[in-house]
Amino acid sequence: MEKPENLILIIFGASGDLTSRKLIPAFYSLKLQGLLPEKFVITGVGRTQFSDEDFRKKMKESIKTFSKENSSDENQIETFTRSLFYIPMDNTSAEDYKKLKEKLYKIEESSGAGRNYIFYLATPPGIYKIVSENLTLAGLADQAEGFRRFIYEKPFGYDLKSGMTLNHALHEMIGEDQIYRIDHYLGKETVQNVLVTRFANGIFEPLWNRNYVHRIEITSAENIGVEERGGYYDSSGALRDMVQNHLLQMAGLTAMEPPSSLEPDAVRNEILKVFQSLQPIREPDVPTQVIRGQYTGSTIHGECVSGYREEKDVAGDSMTETYVAMKFYINNWRWGGVPFYIRTGKRMPARVTEIVIYFKRTPHHLFQRAEGVLTSNMLIIRIQPDEGILLKFDMKQPGSGFNIKNVNMDFHYTDLAEIRVPSAYERLLYDAMIGDSTLFARDDVVETAWKFVDPILNAWENNPKIKLYGYPSGTWGPTNVNSIIEGCGLDWRYPCKNLTNDGSFCEL
Ligand code: BG6
């Protein structure tokens, strides 16, 4: 794999959780694989008054705690953390950016890392604009002496208007080709494998359309609650936090046409076309197409678990949804009339993300089913955990007559034991370093996704009569969620931790 050019990566919000849990462990993994530039420095920036040494010490601990690598090699960790620096400063004060510039020049002299800079904004999104402005004013966005790239964490905007305003403001200062908007789901191996499954195999394409597909279901369930992020989450909710980005991107990859190449714009143009074909959900249709829920207190494994409204930094009468299920259509030749169902929620029975393609049933039912129920062929693309692919189909039960049984054919990533699966952040950080923006969300894609969810947000805000259903922590969400599924007796798949099992009662 190509080695990135020498560079300095500057993280804003370096004392925060994302830096410790995801970014630094990902860089450490890249270092062990020899995928960092020859000369490479990370400079943390934040309000906390750390010295370089304090920062290094904290990052050593985070590597030991969060890295997927064998982190017992003190020498490797020591060498890696020597390339870390820290600058305490106020991100919003233009004056402090002069200090930053000087320190970067000094670091460059001592390290030889040169003048290519990547700025990673792991700050609250409310200050993306001011930080970018200050960098521009200080001359740090100018590409005369090296490339300047800007990585923005999600959420990118709060709704269509704020997303567009932010894009507009950034474009006044920097080019779209310098902007890398993170959607970490696109960095997941198994999400990228959707493209490979579809476009490297000839057998799926003929079936991948409205003639053979009955419906598509995408689930992203989490068993954790909002943990320490109540403050952020209460003004966001599941629709903004998961649906506008991660779930729609997965739907985009599942539904898109084959791109002409793997060039960043070729792939993103196809995702954009899917988003542009989404049938808008009009405000009056929200109650019948979208179900929102909020977890309530319950007992899981004998332990009392608090409800969302009892969580830290959450309003006692909060109407924020921690669960969303919705039905939508994609109005194009491939998908016209095929319902897409997506659901996501916190405090559900398991942490599991998967895409299920339900194929149409045979037109005539010749055989008896052992289970007594009609099933359809399903292809399940498991994003996490127990990453893999499962095909469910019918086979004859041995014995007299023609009794048939639904059976599994499965592939698990763990079967490729010798191959290491990189973390999403590892992949995305490496791509940003080599300047490949394929797996980052483009401005028009983000705006079109906001355009789709905006009427839902508006309906919830303008019409307090739209119900917010409680669901006990540890369950699959509100009980009326089947009301949005078209067709008699159809249900969601209730996945378990293990790809080949399903059912509403699984090992937690
Ligand atoms: C983040 C959301 O983008 O994705 C979180 O802000 C959520 O609320 C997380 O927990 C889920 O990511 P993953 O990789 O654990 O599925």
Side-chain angles (χ1 to χ4, degrees), residues 22 153-155 182-185 188 220-222 224-227 229 232-233 236-238 240-242 245-246 344 346 351-353 383-384 424-425:
K22 303 281 184 192
E153 255 304 322
K154 171 206 134 249
I182 291 251
D183 182 320
H184 79 280
Y185 266 56
K188 290 184 191 274
S220 188
E222 293 184 88
I224 53 168
V226 289
E227 304 195 297
R229 298 164 73 224
Y232 148 76
Y233 197 89
S236 165
R240 290 187 176 95
D241 188 50
M242 294 291 289
N245 32 72
H246 308 325
T344 180
K346 296 218 181 266
R351 173 178 183 256
V352 57
T353 299
I383 306 298
Q384 63 191 21
Y425 274 93

Side-chain angles (χ1 to χ4, degrees), residues 120-265:
Y120 196 115
L121 281 81
T123 62
I127 62 167
Y128 286 172
K129 182 171 165 237
I130 179 99
V131 172
S132 313
E133 244 161 35
N134 283 332
L135 287 168
T136 312
L137 285 175
L140 282 164
D142 181 7
Q143 303 207 81
E145 296 176 321
F147 65 67
R148 303 293 146 92
R149 298 181 187 142
F150 295 73
I151 307 182
Y152 297 94
E153 255 304 322
K154 171 206 134 249
F156 195 86
Y158 183 74
D159 52 18
L160 177 60
K161 190 161 167 249
S162 57
M164 285 174 77
T165 309
L166 181 56
N167 273 333
H168 184 73
L170 296 184
H171 289 157
E172 301 261 288
M173 305 175 250
I174 50 182
E176 178 62 24
D177 59 342
Q178 291 172 267
I179 301 178
Y180 293 72
R181 296 176 194 78
I182 291 251
D183 182 320
H184 79 280
Y185 266 56
L186 292 177
K188 290 184 191 274
E189 272 297 316
T190 38
V191 171
Q192 292 152 37
N193 199 36
V194 175
L195 288 182
V196 179
T197 306
R198 291 192 53 201
F199 304 131
N201 299 298
I203 55 169
F204 296 118
E205 172 56 23
L207 307 179
W208 212 265
N209 56 52
R210 70 197 154 89
N211 296 323
Y212 296 96
V213 174
H214 182 262
R215 64 188 190 279
I216 290 183
E217 181 182 298
I218 302 178
T219 296
S220 188
E222 293 184 88
N223 47 5
I224 53 168
V226 289
E227 304 195 297
E228 296 301 309
R229 298 164 73 224
Y232 148 76
Y233 197 89
D234 208 31
S235 59
S236 165
L239 191 67
R240 290 187 176 95
D241 188 50
M242 294 291 289
V243 175
Q244 187 270 348
N245 32 72
H246 308 325
L247 276 97
L248 283 183
Q249 288 286 350
M250 285 192 281
L253 291 170
T254 309
M256 72 194 250
E257 295 302 315
S260 55
S261 72
L262 287 180
E263 287 300 305
D265 276 338

Side-chain angles (χ1 to χ4, degrees), residues 26-36 76 79-81 83:
F27 280 118
Y28 180 64
S29 297
L30 289 169
K31 154 128 187 111
L32 296 187
Q33 295 162 71
L35 292 176
L36 287 183
Q76 287 278 20
T79 326
F80 172 71
T81 50
S83 59

Side-chain angles (χ1 to χ4, degrees), residues 91-103:
N91 291 338
T92 57
S93 140
E95 266 309 293
D96 280 12
Y97 284 73
K98 292 185 190 144
K99 261 184 9 199
L100 171 65
K101 194 170 177 180
E102 279 161 26
K103 174 113 181 195

Side-chain angles (χ1 to χ4, degrees), residues 20 57 75 111 145 163 227 229 279 324 338 363 376 425 429 484:
S20 317
K57 201 164 149 220
N75 282 343
S111 67
E145 296 176 321
E227 304 195 297
R229 298 164 73 224
Q279 182 174 303
V324 181
V338 177
S376 55
Y425 274 93
L429 291 168
I484 59 172

